[in-house]
Amino acid sequence: FLLRVQENYRNNPFHNFRHSFCVSQMMYVLIHGCRLQEVLSKRDICVLLTACVCHDLDHPGFNNTYQINSRSELAVRYNDMSPLENHHCAVSFKILSSPECNIFANLTPEEFKELRGDMIILILATDMARHA
């Protein structure tokens, strides 16, 4: 799974695999520094860390404003609604759909549906325009 994720990060100056690692490491520090493992389930911690690893997958290096103004394929596909973040989610679940990369293969369909919904919420929340 992690190797496939790494392969799907582009080599751009900021939104690359190293950034993904830094965000994931920071989440780990927050979880343990704030003792969140005492209040969050193992499932919730897994969702948080997986969303961190995947949150900028296949980032092209240009922001949403550029995507929308240039009428890029991503902006058209996602109707100008957080095109990058929607794309990051789609790539995440494309990777997870591969049997050799599906780290959630042992979940029931209902558990996976819930986990998927939570990951989508977390990754879409990385669009800072949603917090203005």
Side-chain angles (χ1 to χ4, degrees), residues 36-67:
L36 296 178
Q37 69 273 21
E38 295 175 9
V39 294
L40 296 176
S41 69
K42 288 180 181 178
R43 178 211 168 275
D44 290 341
I45 291 170
C46 182
V47 169
L48 283 170
L49 291 170
T50 306
C52 286
V53 168
C54 296
H55 84 279
D56 271 332
L57 270 169
D58 196 39
H59 197 296
F62 298 98
N63 65 18
N64 280 330
T65 301
Y66 176 87
Q67 302 296 324

Side-chain angles (χ1 to χ4, degrees), residues 73-120:
E73 181 182 337
L74 291 178
V76 171
R77 179 179 301 141
Y78 297 112
N79 300 308
D80 298 342
M81 308 268 299
S82 302
L84 290 172
E85 292 73 20
N86 274 292
H87 180 63
H88 306 321
C89 287
V91 174
S92 300
F93 289 104
K94 177 69 175 165
I95 292 169
L96 286 166
S97 73
S98 176
E100 66 273 13
C101 296
N102 187 357
I103 60 174
F104 303 120
N106 292 329
L107 297 181
T108 67
E110 187 57 40
E111 289 170 331
F112 182 77
K113 181 179 178 181
E114 186 177 321
L115 178 138
R116 175 177 155 81
D118 290 345
M119 274 187 61
I120 290 168

